[in-house]
Amino acid sequence: MATGDRRRQRLGASDAARRPRPVVAVGVAMAGTLVAGGLAIAVMPAAGAATTQAAAPAAVVSGTAYTVVNSNSGKCVDAKAAATANGTVVQQYACNGTSAQSWTFTATSGGYFQVGNGNNVAQVWDVTNVSTADSAPIQLWTYSNGNNQQWQPVAEPAGTYHFVNRNSGKCLDVPAASVADSVQLQQYTCNGTGAQSFALNPVGGTTTPPGNPNNPDLGPNVKIFDPSMSSSAIQSQLNAVDNQQQSNQFGTQRYALLFRPGSYNVSVNVGYYTQVLGLGMSPNDTTITGGGINVDAQWDGGNATQNFWRGVENITDSPSSGTVKYAVSQATPMRRVHIKGNVVLDDNGGWSSGGFLGDSVVDGQVNSGSQQQWLSRNDQWGSWTGANWNMVFVGDVRAPAQSFPNPPYTTVGQTPTIAEKPFLYVDSTGAYQVFVPADRANSSGTTWANGTAAGTSLPISTFYVAKQGDTAATINAALAAGKNLLFTPGVYKLTDTIRVTRADTVVLGLGLATLEADNGVVAMSTADVNGIRIAGLLFDAGTTNSPILLQVGPTGSTADHSADPTVLSDVFARIGGAAVGKATVSVQVNSNNVIGDDLWLWRADHTYGVGWNSNTAANGLVVNGANVTMYGLAAEHYQQYAVLWNGNGGHTYFFQNELPYDVPNQASWMNGSTRGYAAYKVAGSVTTHEAWGLGSYCYFTADPSVVADHAIEVPNTSGVKFHDMMTFSLGGGKGTITHIINNSGGSASASNNLADLVSYP
């Protein structure tokens, strides 16, 4: 939110696991690679044990025996009845570890292999009658150097392979994508479906479906802890991450700290770009005792106004002190957490500004301390104390009564429509899954405190596990093959758009995974389809201006998604700060019925690449869709409207804004004859819109005489309603906001820093 001097400004002082992944290299053939279609493709078998270190790529090894497992059915390629005679059917069958399901790959030439059976390696996959037709069956036949007996493994983005016949150019295929035993395999025109996708597992290892659900490779920056590990060993790793990340505000390192179910006596300090997650189905499955999980601001003298980009999810925090410290500002979600004790939201009275608590239980008291604005949604606690400028409660159990502005509590009894953020967990067999919570209507309290939450589990094998260095082309190929996406911690430099086109696709980031839009591209777009979930991602602008960073639905989207809405959870955008960045719009929502849940859209006000003509950005959020709902919306420092709402039926619960600090002078910031741009603009064509709990601040550092005529601008119609609004002139009055909404509400200025308004009209 603010610069490092925010605390002094407000006091009125001076401003001051491991499956190796395929690697594709265009136009270069390397030793140990297979060459196909102008690409040199290094392919490798699956490995067994999990690791937090990236594994080096390895080629399919000639002379090595593998089981071959179909991606769609999870069944093994099998010689029927363990026979070895010519004409034996090659089929799929439940994996059983017998030699009839062992296949030795022996190189021939040009990247092709003969594939011989474990009972007689001379009996190989053979296309019957040397056919080139679709649906020609596969049999065993004595190898005779025929092209119909040679197959090229082609690496796929998910680490699986399809097998192309040298004679026909067609793919090994399970007819009709059957999942039944005893279905004879065939060749068929290559089509990228799961029926033609297979995993290779070395014989003697564990035969599992593609994706190795027990031990997925989550990359080097995911640290996985188990209760069997010593506390000292775990603490050593936690300290190493914290020492690097505590003040690493604009670094490129990213981490996810994953705790398997059990209890851990450790201290977890959560620094920049660090996410702490329990791997149970319930937060109560994983407990941190000892020092517990905390966020402090000692790196900045107790000032937490720059404690951004971190999170805690799906875990119980039970410190021996009885109190959790969570001194944070924006982009710091605490979700699905059980706090056994109390929680304070500042660091011993130092400033803190903005935050989000969702789907969580606090047994004791929540003390908001110096928090200026805060959103709690679908939580429950023993009691709440504290207030500053605007505390917003939506669907909370034992929330304070509505009383804005004295004290400034905005309370909405139920959450009208929401779906909680997807999360990673391990099931009772140790396999990784992603749980996708169900939609809820008119809810209060958590999804889990009274039993198992409603929703759907997706095996990790249905996800492409992306790692830093993956390109948009690789990721899009996985999406086209029907995969969901799990981004492991890292910075992904994109020179093309990631296109999410399939309904109900889950896109989940770990460790504040960051998508950088290079060469002026849109970083991610979606089709106008139902139920996409995008969660846990930071969108970063590149040096060449992007028109949009995240586009939800194409322009002109019209479909009704009320029965299965797209949900954006913990989606953040950044223009500058880490480097010069430019993007006209950070997030544009064109689809109808979209839900946003904790968005921080930020044109940087400090550090690298910051300046009126450097990190240029017109709008944070543009909403063109109908019936869009936002919870926990923060958009700051944009040069025109931070939020521009063009669609009907919109709802916002909590809005936090700072107008741009760096306006050079009034002449540079005029909207026609109006001085400045409103923070929140509802277009004149809109007839229905409603919002609760809004705040906008000014702090014009370059020219304190600059004026914004309005913080909020809306059409003057009965269907447009606003509740509980405030404005503030920071730094002892650097600048003026003349009116809160249209020409209503008092002025925030040097003579009167704070203004508030209960309702409009």
Side-chain angles (χ1 to χ4, degrees):
M1 173 175 196
T3 68
D5 293 328
R6 178 62 56 80
R7 183 168 62 94
R8 291 185 292 276
Q9 291 160 4
R10 289 174 184 170
L11 292 173
S14 63
D15 303 331
R18 115 187 151 176
R19 200 159 48 80
R21 298 173 295 118
V23 175
V24 180
V26 178
V28 180
M30 300 171 289
T33 61
L34 307 178
V35 181
L39 301 181
I41 305 173
V43 296
M44 68 295 298
T51 179
T52 58
Q53 301 300 315
V60 169
V61 179
S62 181
T64 299
Y66 300 86
T67 53
V68 182
V69 189
N70 183 253
S71 297
N72 181 62
S73 66
K75 296 189 173 180
C76 282
V77 178
D78 177 280
K80 187 172 184 178
T84 58
N86 283 343
T88 295
V89 166
V90 176
Q91 62 180 10
Q92 73 174 7
Y93 203 84
C95 298
N96 53 33
T98 65
S99 55
Q101 296 181 352
S102 173
W103 301 97
T104 298
F105 282 64
T106 303
T108 57
S109 64
Y112 287 84
F113 289 72
Q114 54 173 300
V115 186
N117 186 252
N119 289 321
N120 182 350
V121 75
Q123 297 293 110
V124 301
W125 294 352
D126 176 285
V127 180
T128 303
N129 298 324
V130 198
S131 175
T132 60
D134 280 344
S135 305
I138 309 302
Q139 61 183 2
L140 289 184
W141 203 270
T142 303
Y143 183 67
S144 60
N145 204 36
N147 284 346
N148 66 315
Q149 298 177 321
Q150 299 179 47
W151 302 82
Q152 181 185 58
V154 178
E156 297 173 335
T160 49
Y161 312 92
H162 55 273
F163 298 97
V164 181
N165 187 260
R166 192 167 199 164
N167 182 58
S168 64
K170 295 186 175 179
C171 280
L172 185 69
D173 179 277
V174 178
S178 175
V179 297
D181 282 342
S182 305
V183 174
Q184 184 171 13
L185 274 60
Q186 63 180 9
Q187 71 174 7
Y188 203 84
T189 300
C190 298
N191 54 32
T193 64
Q196 297 182 351
S197 177
F198 299 82
L200 296 182
N201 297 277
V203 170
T206 302
T207 301
T208 59
N212 198 354
N214 288 303
N215 295 301
D217 177 8
L218 298 178
N221 294 325
V222 174
K223 310 298 182 184
I224 303 173
F225 304 114
D226 187 277
S228 65
M229 299 172 64
S230 71
S231 294
S232 60
I234 296 172
Q235 192 66 60
S236 177
Q237 293 192 57
L238 296 174
N239 291 346
V241 172
D242 178 45
N243 290 340
Q244 177 177 271
Q245 298 301 103
Q246 187 179 59
S247 59
N248 194 16
Q249 185 172 176
F250 293 104
T252 58
Q253 295 81 9
R254 306 285 186 271
Y255 291 96
L257 309 178
L258 274 52
F259 291 83
R260 292 179 181 272
S263 183
Y264 301 82
N265 183 6
V266 293
S267 297
V268 188
N269 196 54
V270 189
Y272 280 103
Y273 310 110
T274 302
Q275 187 183 28
V276 178
L277 304 110
L279 288 175
M281 187 62 187
S282 165
N284 291 320
D285 293 339
T286 307
T287 300
I288 307 297
T289 62
I293 306 168
N294 291 277
V295 177
D296 64 36
Q298 290 307 299
W299 71 274
D300 197 24
N303 175 18
T305 57
Q306 293 185 79
N307 270 5
F308 312 138
W309 303 309
R310 65 198 75 197
V312 180
E313 295 183 40
N314 196 37
I315 202 164
T316 294
D317 193 356
S318 182
S320 56
S321 68
T323 298
V324 172
K325 180 183 291 184
Y326 203 67
V328 297
S329 290
Q330 294 88 351
T332 54
M334 181 180 274
R335 290 181 176 270
R336 198 177 165 81
V337 167
H338 184 184
I339 294 176
K340 291 190 173 181
N342 307 312
V343 60
V344 296
L345 302 178
D346 65 357
D347 191 352
N348 297 319
W351 289 105
S352 50
S353 182
F356 175 89
L357 181 70
D359 198 25
S360 293
V361 172
V362 179
D363 291 346
Q365 183 182 79
V366 181
N367 184 339
S368 63
S370 64
Q371 283 288 342
Q372 295 153 353
Q373 291 184 261
W374 183 274
L375 174 67
S376 297
R377 182 190 55 68
N378 287 95
D379 303 310
Q380 64 183 59
W381 44 68
S383 63
W384 179 285
T385 186
N388 198 335
W389 296 341
N390 204 3
M391 305 286 107
V392 180
F393 308 94
V394 182
D396 295 316
V397 176
R398 288 190 286 278
Q402 169 71 30
S403 57
F404 186 88
N406 293 306
Y409 292 149
T410 298
T411 301
V412 179
Q414 292 185 319
T415 303
T417 177
I418 194 62
E420 298 295 341
K421 181 182 179 181
F423 61 90
L424 187 69
Y425 76 101
V426 291
D427 66 19
S428 59
T429 71
Y432 280 81
Q433 309 240 16
V434 171
F435 188 76
V436 184
D439 299 329
R440 294 203 293 169
N442 300 319
S443 62
S444 62
T446 73
T447 58
W448 54 270
N450 297 316
T452 302
T456 303
S457 288
L458 302 176
I460 199 68
S461 58
T462 67
F463 284 76
Y464 176 61
V465 180
K467 299 178 184 67
Q468 184 169 285
D470 280 345
T471 65
T474 300
I475 293 166
N476 282 330
L479 288 167
K483 292 287 187 179
N484 300 297
L485 288 179
L486 181 70
F487 284 95
T488 61
V491 178
Y492 297 77
K493 295 181 179 295
L494 305 176
T495 56
D496 193 9
T497 303
I498 295 173
R499 298 176 178 87
V500 184
T501 60
R502 179 177 58 86
D504 298 312
T505 299
V506 176
V507 180
L508 177 61
L510 298 179
L512 280 293
T514 302
L515 307 185
E516 181 182 301
D518 290 337
N519 298 342
V521 303
V522 174
M524 182 178 288
S525 67
T526 77
D528 189 28
V529 295
N530 279 347
I532 292 171
R533 303 288 183 93
I534 299 174
L537 293 173
L538 170 59
F539 291 86
D540 212 350
T543 56
T544 301
N545 187 72
S546 293
I548 304 166
L549 294 180
L550 170 62
Q551 183 179 43
V552 183
T555 301
S557 295
T558 58
D560 181 349
H561 304 295
S562 55
D564 187 13
T566 286
V567 184
L568 313 176
S569 306
D570 302 339
V571 169
F572 312 127
R574 182 172 65 190
I575 317 294
V580 173
K582 301 174 186 291
T584 305
V585 176
S586 292
V587 176
Q588 185 180 90
V589 177
N590 296 318
S591 289
N592 298 328
N593 311 105
V594 172
I595 299 171
D597 190 39
D598 187 32
L599 276 66
W600 184 41
L601 315 176
W602 186 60
R603 174 179 170 262
D605 61 272
H606 62 277
T607 316
Y608 306 109
V610 171
W612 189 252
N613 297 312
S614 298
N615 60 327
T616 54
N619 310 115
L621 174 67
V622 175
V623 177
N624 297 318
N627 303 313
V628 170
T629 301
M630 290 284 157
Y631 303 95
L633 172 61
E636 299 190 301
H637 310 303
Y638 287 88
Q639 293 170 299
Q640 296 182 23
Y641 302 121
V643 171
L644 174 58
W645 209 297
N646 298 312
N648 260 319
H651 292 83
T652 294
Y653 300 86
F654 181 94
F655 173 65
Q656 184 174 24
N657 165 263
E658 284 185 343
L659 298 172
Y661 288 175
D662 55 346
V663 178
N665 50 57
Q666 192 71 65
S668 303
W669 200 49
M670 295 291 294
N671 182 13
S673 60
T674 299
R675 291 177 293 182
Y677 285 82
Y680 194 109
K681 169 73 172 181
V682 179
S685 59
V686 172
T687 58
T688 55
H689 188 97
E690 195 162 8
W692 291 258
L694 302 93
S696 180
Y697 324 141
C698 69
Y699 183 65
F700 299 127
T701 57
D703 181 356
S705 70
V706 169
V707 174
D709 280 337
H710 318 110
I712 305 167
E713 292 180 2
V714 302
N716 190 12
T717 179
S718 61
V720 175
K721 302 174 183 178
F722 278 67
H723 312 274
D724 299 358
M725 300 154 276
M726 52 79 55
T727 57
F728 198 98
S729 181
L730 295 167
K734 286 186 180 291
T736 299
I737 302 174
T738 305
H739 296 290
I740 295 175
I741 181 167
N742 293 349
N743 291 321
S744 296
S747 174
S749 64
S751 60
N752 182 42
N753 294 145
L754 174 66
D756 50 55
L757 184 66
V758 172
S759 63
Y760 182 90

